[in-house]
Amino acid sequence: MFRIAKNLVRTFEQSVQDTLALSQDSSNLDAFFQSIPPNLLSAQLESPVDAVSEGVKHTNVNETLSGLRIVWVDEMQFQLQSFFDYIVGFNDDPVPVVSNQHGFSYPDYRRITSIFNEHCGRTLKVNIWSAKGGTFRDEYISIISKESDDLDDVSLNHDERRPSSGEAHQFQALGFKVQWTPLIASTFTYHILNVNIPDGPAQSAGLIPDEDYIIGCQDGLLATGGETLLQDIVRSRANYDLVLYVYNKVSDCVRPITVHIGPDGRLGCNVGYGFLHRIPTVKHCPQQAQQQGQDDNPVPVPVPVESETAFVPSAFTAPPVPTKKKSKNKKGTQPLAMDDYFNEGRDKSSTAAKSAESDILAPPPQKQSSSD
Amino acid sequence: EVDRVMLNKWRQWNVDMTTWRSIGSGPIME
């Protein structure tokens, strides 16, 4: 019975994905990526075709579509955000890439350095895709020429993993670091739906239901994604502390939290994973524009996003609404019946069976979630 | 009760992913 329910949820989620893709008149590209101008993706979208024509089997384009992900920003760099932002173009041209024999694209750092060198003393238009709702924007970054008497830092330890870009930087440090990463990696997030263990690890650490999303954990253990990955990591950290990085959609900020996992290996909250639980678009209040005009150092004040539209990126609000309404209508009847079903099963089981069942950490199907 | 003051203190903070295990390819460039 439970397996059937879980399969139903997966079918439902897949149908949402398919509907969204079809509604955008693009058969393959994930709706989350369709805010990116097609010309910025052309170089990457062409290479898999070439690879296929050579008889090499290629994976889904949504899994390989990549950008220069911001992995670190300086304290004084306010234009970019780590984790969420990807550079997908310069001056409305794609990131220069080269393809290997398997059809996979990699950034041409030599040409990228040339672009920055050419813009010394000017601003460079950088095309950014953000994982917050899958939105696209432009940032104008000032490229400051390096003074002639500036000396480059040369590491005494030769590190094979960090080769030079092949061309001397004629500009000062930009205040951010990047790594070529698939865009899909930023969708591996776990939405806190509710706290189910009073005074449990989640509640003690201050996780906020509906508002919070776990986007990563110490050492990047969540980087590969997967519906059960968080659950597996938490279970493996029983009796230990675990550092999680949490995004709050109301305050539009990321904070680190430390949770102490008990001997049962549970986080104490239900989490949602998948298309419906990606980071939503940030919505600012109308007063922000006025505030920016009056204040030299404005702090935008995000407005709480209603849960009805929270998971729907702004670029495609229309298609999912009917689907969402259906699930809302079901909420009053079907889930209660399912809860009764599960509770009935628990009451009849033996004590040993109960403890074994509690380790399963099964997701309640009506919310497309998993329990940790 | 959600502590908004505490949350707003993290507004300008960015997570450092340079030491994370990653599915990205190639070196971290700056």
Side-chain angles (χ1 to χ4, degrees), chain A residues 46 49 65 69 111 118 198 201 258 304 324-325 338 351 358:
Chain A
E46 284 166 5
V49 176
L65 193 63
R69 189 184 203 177
R111 286 173 61 195
E118 290 165 9
T258 301
K324 180 66 182 170
K325 279 182 179 172
M338 294 299 288
T351 309
S358 67

Side-chain angles (χ1 to χ4, degrees), chain A residues 71 73 78 81-83 109 161-162 169 177-180 208 211 219-220 223 245 251 253-256 300, chain B residues 2 4 6-8 10-30:
Chain A
V71 295
V73 296
F78 299 114
Q81 292 184 310
S82 63
F83 186 89
Y109 286 115
R161 294 170 302 173
R162 303 188 65 173
H169 290 199
K177 297 179 184 179
V178 297
Q179 185 178 32
W180 189 246
I208 306 166
E211 292 183 16
D219 307 322
Y245 296 96
S251 298
C253 65
V254 176
R255 68 189 192 278
Chain B
V2 177
R4 297 286 169 209
M6 178 277 291
L7 286 173
N8 283 329
W10 292 100
R11 291 296 303 282
Q12 301 298 336
W13 188 78
N14 275 278
V15 60
D16 179 359
M17 301 168 64
T18 53
T19 59
W20 283 21
R21 184 179 303 180
S22 170
I23 63 168
S25 54
I28 291 173
M29 303 298 286
E30 55 186 314

Side-chain angles (χ1 to χ4, degrees), chain A residues 77 79 116 119-126 139-145 171-174 176:
Chain A
Q77 166 58 265
Q79 293 173 284
F116 280 94
H119 286 77
C120 277
R122 294 184 287 157
T123 57
L124 172 63
K125 182 180 183 181
V126 180
E139 292 287 354
Y140 292 84
I141 294 178
S142 295
I143 312 298
I144 303 172
S145 298
F171 49 90
Q172 292 184 13
L174 298 167
F176 60 88

